């Protein structure tokens, strides 16, 4: 026994089953730890990427909604600013009583927080404080931010004004975007951050003309308060949407910074992003736990979750693309989609002719005045459905603003066929619309038609000529349709608009002879 010990006492300790098991356990633990760490890293990257993408989508949607609200603010101003009566009562001879009524309209109908009338001489003539209007005369330079805005809108007015007998007018607003004739954005008024719109007072029927010099301007605004935030958020349903004067640091969450026309920061809208990134962790952690038992299940779990994540991101992106190309009230294609389809259709000429129908509701303002704006929205949605039903799959029906619709029709450009189609559209528009228990709304439809390639081979010329035909329908008594070629000379170069967009009344131009 002693010899045996002497011979083997210096030999290595033999490897036993216990050692093998322990080594296997350590290797398995190391493998699981490495795999878990890799999954945690992938989860972190995926969470950050999905969160950043979701926030970017929300910011884009918020920008579009905010821009649409600013355009609506300017369109609301038009009820006062585009009027021969306003030219007479605010520009040519300032009438305090008329100023009271005009400002009260913007407060009573649209709840504009602040309304100011600024003369061409740079004096503030009237100023409202919600429902109270103060008539005064003070120089605008007492409020430097307003002086700068007045200068900008004056320069915009000079680009748009046209000379008419006895003075000046303004080119037609038909077919123009609000930012082409009005100034809008954010500023501070009375020390409060506000969304504003400023527009010159211009005639609509040219019974009055404007004098030379800077314009008289109506500036109205919504303070950025709970009411405005609630109105904007009604279309978004963002969580905890609010406004802060301090702009958050980049990467600190979802926000949209707003600045005044000179680029100075005013503050930022902030909200809790409805991201899907945090939903990854409750899935990744259980998967890691399962891997300690069965590594094979890990690959399937991760692949499944990545697929789910990709589908969610694709669905979110698809929804945002839909919102970017469709009108939120009616679900119809919006102006952006109309422009894209029209450009594509023009490229297919002359092999694939089509017609552009410019439609405008008649007597729509009386619906808002009689039943309110909710009824007006109901009429717009109802008419959108009717137009889409009549057109069917043969064309694209678009709402391009207010009570305006544009149609690209491809089935037939034959005059008789277009006549029957327009008659059907006018007929369906004449059917009364029930306004809850309040009565029936009666509206009509005026249509202008331009045919490609006969009336034009560019998007600009077709829109201008359908617009001219629409004016002809309005001039002939409304509730009817007019083909451009029936009233105007189509022998001119179809690549150019036939009428100057500076012309305030395009339908008075010399028409087709014979």
């Amino acid at each position: 026994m002693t010899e045996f010990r002497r011979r083997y006492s210096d030999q290595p300790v033999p490897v036993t089953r216990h050692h093998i098991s322990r080594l296997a356990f350590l290797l398995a633990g190391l493998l699981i730890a490495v795999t878990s760490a890799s999954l945690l890293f992938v989860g972190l990257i995926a969470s950050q990427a999905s969160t950043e993408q979701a926030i970017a989508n929300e910011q884009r949607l918020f920008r579009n909604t905010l821009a649409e609200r600013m355009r609506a603010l300017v369109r609301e101003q038009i009820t006062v600013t585009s009027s021969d009566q306003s030219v007479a009562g605010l520009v040519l001879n300032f009438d305090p009583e008329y100023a009271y009524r005009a400002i009260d309209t913007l407060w009573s109908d649209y709840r504009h927080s602040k309304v100011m009338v600024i003369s061409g001489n740079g004096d503030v003539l009237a100023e409202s404080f919600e429902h109270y209007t103060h008539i005064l005369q003070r120089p605008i330079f007492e409020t430097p931010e307003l002086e700068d805005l007045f200068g900008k809108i004056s320069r915009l007015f000079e680009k748009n004004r046209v000379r008419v007998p006895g003075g000046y007018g303004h080119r037609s607003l038909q077919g123009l975007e609000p930012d082409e004739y009005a100034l809008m954005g954010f500023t501070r008024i009375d020390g409060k951050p506000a969304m504003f719109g400023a527009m010159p007072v211009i005639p609509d029927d040219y019974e009055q003309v404007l004098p030379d010099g800077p314009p008289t301007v109506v500036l109205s605004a919504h303070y950025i308060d709970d009411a405005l935030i609630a109105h904007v958020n009604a279309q978004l349903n963002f969580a905890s949407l609010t406004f802060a004067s301090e702009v958050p640091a980049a990467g600190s969450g979802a926000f949209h910074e707003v600045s005044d026309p000179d680029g100075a920061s005013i503050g930022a809208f902030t909200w809790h992003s409805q991201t899907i990134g945090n939903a990854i962790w409750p899935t990744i952690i259980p998967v890691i736990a399962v891997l300690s038992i069965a590594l094979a299940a890990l690959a399937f779990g991760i692949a499944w979750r990545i697929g789910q994540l990709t589908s969610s991101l694709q669905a979110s992106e698809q929804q945002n693309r839909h919102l970017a190309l469709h009108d939120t009230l009616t679900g119809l294609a919006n102006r952006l989609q109309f422009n894209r389809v029209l450009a594509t259709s023009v490229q297919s000429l002359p092999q694939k002719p089509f017609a552009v129908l410019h439609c405008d509701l008649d007597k729509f303002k009386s619906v808002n005045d009689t039943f309110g704006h909710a009824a007006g929205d109901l009429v717009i949605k109802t008419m959108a459905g009717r137009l889409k039903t009549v057109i069917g799959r043969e064309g694209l029906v678009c709402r391009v603003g207010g009570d305006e619709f544009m149609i690209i029709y491809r089935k037939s450009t034959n005059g008789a066929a277009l006549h029957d189609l327009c008659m059907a559209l006018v007929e369906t528009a004449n059917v009364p619309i029930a306004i809850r228990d309040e009565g029936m709304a009666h509206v009509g439809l005026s249509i202008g038609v331009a045919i490609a390639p006969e009336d034009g081979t560019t998007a600009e010329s077709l829109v201008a000529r359908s617009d001219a035909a629409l004016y002809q329908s309005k001039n002939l008594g409304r509730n009817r349709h007019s083909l451009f070629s029936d009233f105007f000379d189509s022998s001119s170069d179809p690549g150019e608009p036939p009428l100057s967009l500076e012309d305030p009344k395009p339908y008075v131009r010399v028409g087709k002879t014979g």
Side-chain angles (χ1 to χ4, degrees):
M1 180 66 66
T2 301
E3 182 64 22
F4 180 85
R5 290 176 178 174
R6 188 168 37 251
R7 291 178 58 186
Y8 294 101
S9 60
D10 295 330
Q11 297 297 319
V13 177
V15 178
T16 64
R17 180 186 299 179
H18 173 74
H19 294 123
I20 296 175
S21 300
R22 186 174 181 180
L23 180 60
F25 179 79
L26 291 174
L27 291 175
L30 179 62
L31 178 61
I32 293 174
V34 171
T35 305
S36 299
S38 300
L39 283 174
L40 287 172
F41 179 75
V42 170
L44 178 62
I45 297 300
S47 176
Q48 291 176 343
S50 62
T51 298
E52 291 172 0
Q53 182 63 48
I55 290 177
N57 293 340
E58 291 175 355
Q59 289 173 329
R60 180 168 59 251
L61 183 59
F62 186 82
R63 285 195 303 271
N64 293 340
T65 302
L66 208 57
E68 179 58 33
R69 183 67 199 95
M70 284 192 288
R71 289 192 289 267
L73 175 63
V74 172
R75 288 193 290 266
E76 293 162 0
Q77 282 185 318
I78 290 179
T79 59
V80 170
T81 55
S82 180
S83 164
D84 284 272
Q85 291 180 337
S86 293
V87 172
L90 298 178
V91 181
L92 302 180
N93 184 20
F94 183 73
D95 181 356
E97 290 299 324
Y98 185 82
Y100 278 123
R101 294 194 302 271
I103 291 176
D104 184 65
T105 296
L106 295 178
W107 163 249
S108 301
D109 293 351
Y110 307 111
R111 287 297 188 269
H112 290 190
S113 307
K114 183 81 170 182
V115 181
M116 305 178 74
V117 179
I118 306 170
S119 72
N121 296 327
D123 292 330
V124 179
L125 303 179
E127 185 173 7
S128 75
F129 303 90
E130 295 186 346
H131 59 280
Y132 171 73
T133 299
H134 182 47
I135 303 298
L136 71 166
Q137 185 171 2
R138 64 175 177 84
I140 196 174
F141 63 74
E142 293 180 357
T143 312
E145 60 269 19
L146 294 183
E147 185 177 22
D148 185 57
L149 295 180
F150 181 73
K152 286 183 170 63
I153 190 62
S154 297
R155 289 189 290 273
L156 182 60
F157 170 75
E158 290 178 1
K159 295 180 181 179
N160 289 315
R161 73 174 185 173
V162 293
R163 186 176 290 279
V164 297
Y168 291 89
H170 192 282
R171 68 168 173 162
S172 170
L173 303 184
Q174 190 74 28
L176 296 182
E177 289 293 336
D179 58 5
E180 296 182 68
Y181 55 83
L183 185 68
M184 52 189 175
F186 293 88
T187 189
R188 289 189 179 275
I189 299 178
D190 300 330
K192 301 177 183 177
M195 172 193 296
F196 78 91
M199 181 178 172
V201 178
I202 59 176
D204 55 350
D205 293 328
Y206 284 79
E207 297 175 359
Q208 304 287 342
V209 296
L210 298 171
D212 193 9
T216 295
V217 174
V218 172
L219 182 146
S220 59
H222 283 299
Y223 292 133
I224 304 179
D225 53 16
D226 292 341
L228 177 63
I229 292 174
H231 184 83
V232 172
N233 201 33
Q235 303 180 44
L236 302 170
N237 197 28
F238 282 177
S240 302
L241 179 64
T242 187
F243 184 83
S245 57
E246 296 293 332
V247 179
S252 60
F255 67 92
H256 175 75
E257 182 179 3
V258 295
S259 305
D260 64 19
D262 291 327
S265 178
I266 294 176
F269 291 91
T270 64
W271 63 91
H272 292 317
S273 177
Q274 300 172 356
T275 62
I276 60 176
N278 292 334
I280 295 175
W281 295 111
T283 304
I284 292 294
I285 293 176
V287 169
I288 294 174
V290 169
L291 279 180
S292 62
I293 302 172
L295 291 176
L298 175 63
F300 174 79
I302 292 177
W304 183 80
R305 282 308 300 168
I306 291 176
Q308 290 293 102
L309 176 58
T310 303
S311 298
S312 298
L313 290 173
Q314 290 174 343
S316 176
E317 184 64 24
Q318 183 178 3
Q319 180 185 15
N320 288 326
R321 285 198 300 267
H322 178 84
L323 291 174
L325 294 175
H326 290 80
D327 176 52
T328 55
L329 177 63
T330 63
L332 295 178
N334 60 13
R335 181 178 291 276
L336 175 60
Q337 187 174 171
F338 169 78
N339 290 338
R340 290 182 178 179
V341 175
L342 180 59
T344 302
S345 301
V346 165
Q347 293 175 358
S348 301
L349 294 174
Q351 291 81 7
K352 296 180 180 180
F354 62 93
V356 176
L357 284 67
H358 197 158
C359 308
D360 188 77
L361 298 185
D362 300 324
K363 299 182 292 185
F364 178 70
K365 184 177 183 300
S366 63
V367 174
N368 283 332
D369 294 340
T370 304
F371 300 106
H373 292 281
D377 289 346
L378 175 62
V379 169
I380 291 293
K381 289 191 286 188
T382 302
M383 291 304 301
R386 292 179 181 180
L387 297 179
K388 191 172 183 180
T389 298
V390 173
I391 297 300
R393 297 184 177 181
E394 307 300 335
L396 177 69
V397 182
C398 312
R399 181 187 179 214
V400 296
D403 57 345
E404 279 189 81
F405 299 88
M406 298 288 284
I407 300 171
I408 299 175
Y409 188 70
R410 302 185 181 88
K411 183 177 182 180
S412 173
T413 57
N414 176 269
L418 289 175
H419 171 77
D420 293 340
L421 174 68
C422 292
M423 291 295 291
L425 292 171
V426 172
E427 181 178 353
T428 192
N430 284 328
V431 177
I433 299 173
I435 307 299
R436 298 180 296 277
D437 298 329
E438 301 177 24
M440 306 294 290
H442 298 269
V443 297
L445 189 69
S446 295
I447 306 174
V449 183
I451 303 173
E454 290 88 341
D455 295 335
T457 57
T458 67
E460 293 79 4
S461 63
L462 290 170
V463 170
R465 294 179 176 187
S466 66
D467 185 52
L470 172 62
Y471 267 104
Q472 186 67 16
S473 295
K474 294 286 188 179
N475 191 42
L476 292 175
R478 306 175 185 272
N479 204 36
R480 65 186 63 229
H481 69 278
S482 300
L483 271 65
F484 175 84
S485 58
D486 288 344
F487 296 94
F488 300 94
D489 183 7
S490 299
S491 63
S492 59
D493 181 8
E496 297 293 334
L499 304 170
S500 172
L501 293 180
E502 307 294 339
D503 193 335
K505 288 187 175 180
Y507 54 76
V508 303
R509 301 289 291 269
V510 177
K512 181 180 179 181
T513 60

